[in-house]
Amino acid sequence: MFRRPLEFLNSLLSQGDLIEIRLGPQRAWMGCHPELVHRMLRDTRTFDKGGPQYERPRALMGDGVVTCPHTEHRRQHRLLQPTFRPAGVAAQTDVMAEEAAALCRDWRTGQEVDVSAATLGLTTRLISRLLLSDSLTPAAADEVRNCLAAIMRGPFVRMIVPVDALFRLPTPADRRYRRAVERVRELIDAAIAERRRGTPRDDPLGLLLLAAEAGDGGAPVTDREVHDQLVSLLLTGSESPSMCLASTFSLLAQHPEVERRLHAEVDTVLAGRLPGVDDLPRLVYTRSVLTETLRHSPPGWFFTRVTTRETELAGRRLPRGTTVLYSPYLLHHDPASFPEPERFLSERWLEGEAAVGPHGALIPFAAGIRKCIGDLFSMAEMTVALATVAGRWRLRHPAGRVAAPRPGATLGPRALTMICASRTDAPDGTAPHAAALTPGAAPTASGVEKTRRDGDNGVHHT
């Protein structure tokens, strides 16, 4: 499990629906059937967030909406939900397109690009603009990106080894991790202090500060909670979509037929301009490519829960305090749910809702009341980014073997270097208007409504 975790997970599919795994002196149970996993995700009172995967990140994220226990989740979710509703996501589409265009504006044919760093920079800027408006300077946003890269580079073993003493050793990697954690906290504290001195803004930071001043129905929002929420959303809202985008570019380079079909759709729908909110429902194949990436290489690939009371699962009695594991990667690679699971087949998502597999096996954003609060935002930003880059560029792997995705806190390529080729120079992939990308139409009432309908009917495909 430590040396080859993806192979190990795939090997469990033939062993049963609920499997005991020994982790050093402890034991855990892995749910290997989507019905069991959905039961865990729906019953958050019994299967609460916990285990090493959540206990250790709390040093960074505190008890924000991502890591908080069940008892705190409803109140925190209600505070933050307005930002991530369809209308709020639609209002951010032009910002997404502007940042995506800036990402690739200075690329040159033949240039080697650090795609992992580029996508992380993009998603960090977008989530910081959403959460904090302009409270983080460009330099501070870049520093946050570098810190997040250091934090998330931590090995998979940190998530699962039950011996805390191993991670108190002053190794170079541990020192880098701790410095990055401290610096992120300092940068967020500075942004909060700057906002308190400035003009109120209608963004999550503004909502949290307003709730801190007014109280929240007798449960005041503390300064620590304001901080924890921002760090939680910044970390999870930048890392996972950046990993998905990097994986998508890597997979497209390995599957030229999928890439050609993607380019054809982007050229037809956008005709050289930047995507706007009205274009999102029309970028059907673009979303299918992203959804297949989320199935094939889900950034959130491994999770832990802890039972809060004695319960039964798959005929097994689990005492209170039992660690229960589940893996979207395992479920997404089960041939009973997704035939030919190792193949990258974007067409499987053109079949409608039935394509999610038996029992809702596709869960890249989890499920139930603790489903990712930013799923619509993430799918929109990734769709906009992919369409924008694909409208102008083709990315190729350098000669040699393509490195497999690296499992860590998330799954994806962490040092992906690719070579740029302008599509205007390619005889088989001309983008007729790519050199004159212009912003799409501003969001309209009808566009917001289209996004809402699309979000309800498959933007996130969960």
Side-chain angles (χ1 to χ4, degrees):
M1 187 171 185
F2 296 151
R3 295 189 181 109
R4 297 184 302 277
L6 300 184
E7 293 177 33
F8 175 75
L9 290 173
N10 283 335
S11 75
L12 299 181
L13 290 169
S14 62
Q15 303 300 315
D17 292 345
L18 186 68
I19 301 170
E20 181 182 6
I21 297 174
R22 294 195 178 275
L23 305 172
Q26 299 181 8
R27 72 171 68 182
W29 294 90
M30 172 73 77
C32 299
H33 192 282
E35 283 187 344
L36 295 184
V37 174
H38 274 275
R39 180 187 161 190
M40 291 161 49
L41 296 177
R42 289 194 303 268
D43 186 2
T44 57
R45 291 181 182 274
T46 303
F47 300 93
D48 205 356
K49 287 197 172 183
Q53 187 189 34
Y54 293 102
E55 296 302 329
R56 292 187 180 120
R58 280 185 178 129
L60 170 63
M61 296 190 287
D63 278 322
V65 69
V66 177
T67 56
C68 70
H70 167 81
T71 53
E72 288 293 316
H73 179 259
R74 185 179 297 275
R75 179 178 68 90
Q76 295 191 20
H77 189 275
R78 190 177 69 249
L79 277 173
L80 297 166
Q81 183 60 37
T83 301
F84 297 100
R85 288 175 181 153
V89 172
Q92 297 289 325
T93 307
D94 284 351
V95 172
M96 297 173 183
E98 291 165 9
E99 291 287 359
L103 171 74
C104 60
R105 182 175 295 132
D106 296 329
W107 291 357
R108 297 291 179 267
T109 294
Q111 176 185 353
E112 286 198 355
V113 173
D114 185 338
V115 175
S116 300
T119 57
L120 183 58
L122 171 66
T123 57
T124 302
R125 287 192 297 273
L126 284 173
I127 195 67
S128 64
R129 288 185 68 171
L130 173 72
L131 298 177
L132 308 166
S133 296
D134 298 320
S135 298
L136 272 184
T137 66
D142 284 342
E143 191 172 0
V144 168
R145 180 203 68 193
N146 293 333
C147 290
L148 293 181
I151 291 166
M152 300 307 289
R153 201 175 291 127
F156 167 62
V157 70
R158 182 183 286 272
M159 296 167 53
I160 200 64
V161 170
V163 183
D164 286 328
L166 291 177
F167 306 107
R168 292 196 292 266
L169 298 174
T171 63
D174 189 67
R175 287 195 294 269
R176 285 194 298 271
Y177 175 85
R178 293 179 185 278
R179 281 197 301 268
V181 167
E182 185 59 32
R183 187 56 184 150
V184 167
R185 299 185 73 88
E186 291 171 356
L187 290 166
I188 294 301
D189 284 340
I192 294 172
E194 179 66 25
R195 177 64 64 82
R196 288 188 189 276
R197 294 191 293 267
T199 305
R201 304 288 290 270
D202 186 17
D203 59 14
L205 175 53
L207 292 174
L208 288 167
L209 292 177
L210 186 63
E213 294 171 3
D216 183 33
V221 177
T222 65
D223 288 349
R224 177 59 186 265
E225 184 176 340
V226 173
H227 173 101
D228 289 350
Q229 297 295 4
L230 293 176
V231 174
S232 293
L233 293 171
L234 184 63
L235 182 64
T236 56
S238 56
E239 171 72 8
S240 292
S242 76
M243 286 288 100
C244 180
L245 282 170
S247 292
T248 300
F249 290 123
S250 178
L251 288 163
L252 285 172
Q254 299 170 63
H255 297 84
E257 198 57 49
V258 176
E259 184 184 59
R260 278 192 289 271
R261 187 167 177 179
L262 169 69
H263 287 165
E265 177 179 85
V266 168
D267 294 346
T268 300
V269 172
L270 301 180
R273 56 182 172 79
L274 292 181
V277 65
D278 290 331
D279 298 310
L280 292 179
R282 301 168 61 202
L283 292 168
V284 176
Y285 193 73
T286 306
R287 287 197 312 276
S288 297
V289 169
L290 289 166
T291 303
E292 179 65 352
T293 302
L294 289 169
R295 184 203 65 80
H296 184 276
S297 302
W301 65 286
F302 184 91
F303 296 96
T304 64
R305 293 291 190 268
V306 172
T307 57
T308 60
R309 55 191 174 190
E310 182 177 308
T311 190
E312 177 272 333
L313 190 66
R316 297 278 186 175
R317 186 186 67 83
L318 304 181
R320 181 178 182 273
T322 298
T323 297
V324 185
L325 317 172
Y326 77 93
S327 168
Y329 181 91
L330 181 152
L331 298 183
H332 295 180
H333 284 255
D334 186 348
S337 297
F338 304 105
E340 299 182 276
E342 299 304 322
R343 292 187 64 191
F344 187 70
L345 299 172
S346 299
E347 287 71 18
R348 72 174 88 226
W349 303 108
L350 302 177
E351 301 169 7
E353 289 298 311
V356 299
H359 318 289
L362 185 76
I363 52 168
F365 298 107
I369 63 172
R370 301 213 66 164
K371 182 181 178 183
C372 174
I373 193 173
D375 60 339
L376 288 176
F377 180 85
S378 291
M379 280 305 299
E381 72 172 324
M382 292 189 297
T383 302
V384 169
L386 179 57
T388 300
V389 174
R392 301 191 73 177
W393 297 99
R394 178 178 282 109
L395 296 175
R396 289 288 174 263
H397 288 289
R401 181 172 171 271
V402 178
R406 287 178 50 193
T410 52
L411 175 65
R414 301 188 183 280
L416 176 65
T417 299
M418 302 186 76
I419 300 171
C420 300
S422 173
R423 290 190 55 217
T424 57
D425 299 334
D428 63 337
T430 301
H433 306 288
L437 286 172
T438 56
T444 63
S446 63
V448 170
E449 188 60 34
K450 284 181 182 178
T451 303
R452 180 179 294 112
R453 290 197 301 269
D454 196 58
D456 290 343
N457 292 316
V459 162
H460 51 290
H461 296 280
T462 53

